Amino acid sequence: SRTRVRQRPGRQYSGVAKLAKKVGNAVKPSRFGSRRPKMNESITMMDTTIIRLADLPRQRWKNNGGWTHEIARGGGEDWLWRVSVADVESDGAFSLFPGMLRELLILSGEGVALQFENGQTIALTPEQPRLRFDGDQPIYSRLLDGAVRDFNLIWQPARVDTKLSEHEISGLQTLAVAE
């Protein structure tokens, strides 16, 4: 059977962790092998799980500046990768993730200015919504005009290869999901 999901028109984002080494059953290979499915190719799915952000537990940040909704992680307690959505309510320091890379993508709000220890400032806005950076860099985040929601992909690059893709969705779409 096909899975059809009605999405709101506009930019939609998906994070995909491709593991360089297999980590338990966190990621299963696609039945398409090394090729990508064609745009209108029918896909049969046995078990499909739709994760609603409202159903995920919220974890308050140590600095009380926001909340994290963890979507998934792989590699056990000392995880190799994590996908989450954060609600940023106030300015503050980023948590450090030594040995990790991070990719941050603004989902809603006017954006943030990331101030790096070396003096560089990078603004993430709806027009320039994403940035990849080292997780062990001290960064101070300043909201540009109110709260923002962002998508976070964090991983250990020595052990995991990742790709974050964004797709324009309009109307009714059939979603391809790896088995």
Side-chain angles (χ1 to χ4, degrees), residues 9 88 94 119 179:
V88 185
F94 266 42
E179 292 180 39

Side-chain angles (χ1 to χ4, degrees), residues 3 15 21 26 30 52 59 61 68 74 79 81 84 96 101 111 120 122 127 135 138-139 142 152 157 159:
T3 298
K21 296 181 180 177
S30 167
R52 290 178 177 81
Q59 301 162 342
W61 294 352
T68 295
W79 43 271
W81 59 270
S84 63
L96 296 176
L101 283 179
Q120 182 183 25
I122 298 175
E127 295 75 33
I139 298 173
R142 185 177 46 81
N152 297 279
R159 301 181 60 199

Side-chain angles (χ1 to χ4, degrees), residues 118-170:
N118 66 4
Q120 182 183 25
T121 298
I122 298 175
L124 299 181
T125 65
E127 295 75 33
Q128 288 288 112
R130 69 193 289 175
L131 180 67
R132 182 179 280 209
F133 55 94
D134 289 328
D136 54 3
Q137 291 186 67
I139 298 173
Y140 187 84
S141 172
R142 185 177 46 81
L143 296 171
L144 297 180
D145 187 18
V148 299
R149 175 170 279 173
D150 60 45
F151 184 89
N152 297 279
L153 177 58
I154 306 172
W155 70 99
Q156 291 183 24
R159 301 181 60 199
V160 178
D161 184 30
T162 66
K163 179 181 179 184
L164 179 61
S165 300
E166 64 180 270
H167 306 279
E168 194 73 29
I169 303 288
S170 61

